[in-house]
Amino acid sequence: MRAWQLTGPGTLELRTVPVPEPGPGEVLVRVGAAGICHSDSFVLGLPFALSPEPLTLGHEIAGTVEVTGPHVPVERVGERGVVYLCWSCGQCRACAAGHENVCHAAGRTAMPPCPGLGPPGGMADFVVVPARAFVPIGDDLDFAQAAPLADAALTSLHAVRGTLDRLGPGSTAVAIGIGGLGHVAVQVLRALTPARVLAVDLTDDKLALARDCGAAATFAAGADTAAAILAQTGGRGAEAVFDFVGTDDTARLAVSVVAPDGAYRMVGLGGGIPGIDAGPAGGPGLPWGATVRKSYAGTRSDLFAAVDLARSGHLTLAVDTFAFADAPAAFDLLDRGRVRGRAVLLP
Ligand code: NAD
Ligand code: ZN
C-alpha cells in the first residue's frame, strides 16, 4: 500500500509498505480521507527524527472497517467511522472518568499514543486501529467531512465544552486563529452557547470564513486588536478566549482580553509566553478569577458529540481536498496560510 512517511527531519516520502494486519482487539481500516493538521507540519519541521523508523503521518482518519482482528465482532466489517486519536489505556482513573486525553499511562506529559505521531497513521491506504477507537459515523457523512472531526473538531469542542458555565446569555467568546481548529470552534460556540463570537486572524479570507461560520465581528491581528475587543465588551473583556495559535503575540492578546472570572484556553502549540504574573489584577497578568487551561485533544465523548453535530447539520467543515499524491502541495499551502478550513487527502 501507499504511505506518506516521515523518513528523516523535514523529509516526507511516498513509500510502498506492506498492508498491516490487525491484532487482537484491532481493526484494519481502509482510509477514506485523512486530514492534515498544523501539528503534522510542526512535526515535519522538527530538527530531529520523531522515531528511529519511518513514521506514517496522519491523525485525522475516516474510513471503513476492512478486516477485524481476533476478539472483534466480524459484523463490524463495512462499518464507516472516524478514528479517536487518544489510544489511552482504558484502565486508569482518568480513563475511568472519561478523561482519556490525560490518561495516567501517558505520564505527566499526558499524550497517549496517537496514530501518525507514534503508531503508524492514516496518510496511507490502510491503517490498523484499536476497535474501541473506531467511532461510527453512519452512512451519510462523507469521509472528507468526517476526517477532520478526529482532531480539528474534537480539540475545539473539548476546549469549548470546558467553558460552557461562562458562556451564558450576554457573554462574549473570542477565537484567535481561524484555521482548521478555529473555524470549527466558531461553529461549536454558535451551536452550544448564546455567546457572541469574535474572531481574530491575519488575513481577510480567514476573517470571511469566520463570518461564514457565524462570528459576529472579526479583527485583523495587530497592535490595536486588544483595544478593539475591549471596546466591544464595554472594557470588561470576553468570558472565554480560545487561542488556536499560541505564539507570544496571541498569548498576550488572550491575557489582555479575557474578562474577570473568564476562561483562557491555550490550544495552539506556538510555544508563546502569555506573560502572566502573580501580582494584583491590573498589571500585566490576568484579571481576578480568570483561569488558564492548556487544552489537549478531547475525550471519546467529545468525538461522539462532534459526529452528532456534523450529522445534524450544526457543524460543516470547510475542506480543501487533495489527491493522495499531492500531500506535499497541501503541506506547502498550509504552511503559507493558504488553506481555507482543513486540507484533506483523498485516496
Ligand atoms: P491552521 O494552520 O489550520 O490554522 C492556524 C490559523 O492561525 C491560520 O488561519 C492562521 O492564519 C492563523 N494565525 C497565525 N498566526 C496568527 C496570529 N499571530 N494571529 C492570529 N491568527 C494567526 O492550524 P490548525 O491545524 O488549526 O492548528 C492550530 C494550532 O493548534 C497549531 O499550533 C496546532 O499544532 C495546534 N493543535 C493543538 C492541539 C491540542 O490538542 N492542543 C490539537 C491540534 C492542533
Ligand atoms: Zn492535530
Side-chain angles (χ1 to χ4, degrees):
M1 67 169 192
R2 302 168 302 169
W4 278 108
Q5 294 193 319
L6 193 60
T7 53
T11 312
L12 187 64
E13 277 186 76
L14 183 56
R15 300 184 72 216
T16 302
V17 300
V19 175
E21 272 184 39
E26 295 177 336
V27 294
L28 178 71
V29 174
R30 178 185 287 275
V31 177
I36 303 182
C37 179
H38 209 110
S39 305
D40 296 314
S41 163
F42 176 80
V43 166
L44 195 52
L46 290 173
F48 53 87
L50 205 60
S51 70
E53 299 299 314
L55 167 66
T56 304
L57 290 179
H59 55 264
E60 284 192 344
I61 311 163
T64 313
V65 174
E66 181 89 358
V67 176
T68 52
H71 317 310
V72 180
V74 72
E75 289 73 25
R76 291 196 75 176
V77 170
E79 188 176 295
R80 302 172 81 250
V82 59
V83 177
Y84 176 56
L85 55 69
C86 297
W87 293 359
S88 35
C89 77
Q91 310 291 330
C92 71
R93 276 183 216 174
C95 287
H99 307 307
E100 302 98 324
N101 57 325
V102 290
C103 171
H104 287 206
R108 190 166 177 272
T109 52
M111 206 186 124
C114 173
L117 295 171
M123 290 189 200
D125 289 313
F126 295 95
V127 61
V128 164
V129 312
R132 72 184 286 277
F134 195 73
V135 170
I137 57 170
D139 294 329
D140 299 330
L141 205 57
D142 69 53
F143 289 136
Q145 281 288 313
L149 298 176
D151 184 6
L154 172 85
T155 302
S156 307
L157 185 73
H158 184 72
V160 168
R161 267 184 154 179
T163 65
L164 293 180
D165 59 333
R166 319 299 211 288
L167 295 177
S171 63
T172 301
V174 174
I176 306 170
I178 310 301
L181 272 61
H183 92 287
V184 175
V186 173
Q187 295 181 62
V188 167
L189 284 161
R190 293 301 312 271
L192 300 189
T193 82
R196 181 172 53 131
V197 182
L198 311 182
V200 181
D201 204 299
L202 298 172
T203 58
D204 286 343
D205 51 337
K206 300 298 177 96
L207 298 179
L209 174 60
R211 289 190 293 274
D212 290 347
C213 291
T218 57
F219 305 86
D224 307 331
T225 316
I229 290 174
L230 289 173
Q232 289 265 334
T233 54
R236 193 167 166 86
E239 281 71 20
V241 182
F242 304 92
D243 182 2
F244 298 106
V245 184
T247 55
D248 282 349
D249 286 352
T250 60
R252 293 210 177 104
L253 173 63
V255 169
S256 308
V257 301
V258 68
D261 267 357
Y264 159 30
R265 299 300 182 245
M266 291 177 168
V267 184
L269 306 176
I273 297 175
I276 295 169
D277 70 21
L286 290 164
W288 298 121
T291 63
V292 182
R293 181 185 220 186
K294 198 159 174 173
S295 197
Y296 178 66
T299 67
R300 228 148 60 91
S301 148
D302 292 325
L303 184 55
F304 276 90
V307 169
D308 287 336
L309 285 176
R311 292 184 72 183
S312 61
H314 291 90
L315 171 59
T316 305
L317 276 288
V319 290
D320 260 358
T321 56
F322 294 84
F324 190 80
D326 294 337
F331 272 98
D332 181 54
L333 290 173
L334 180 65
D335 289 341
R336 291 192 286 119
R338 303 304 309 159
V339 170
R340 184 177 186 272
R342 201 47 137 189
V344 174
L345 298 181
L346 299 178

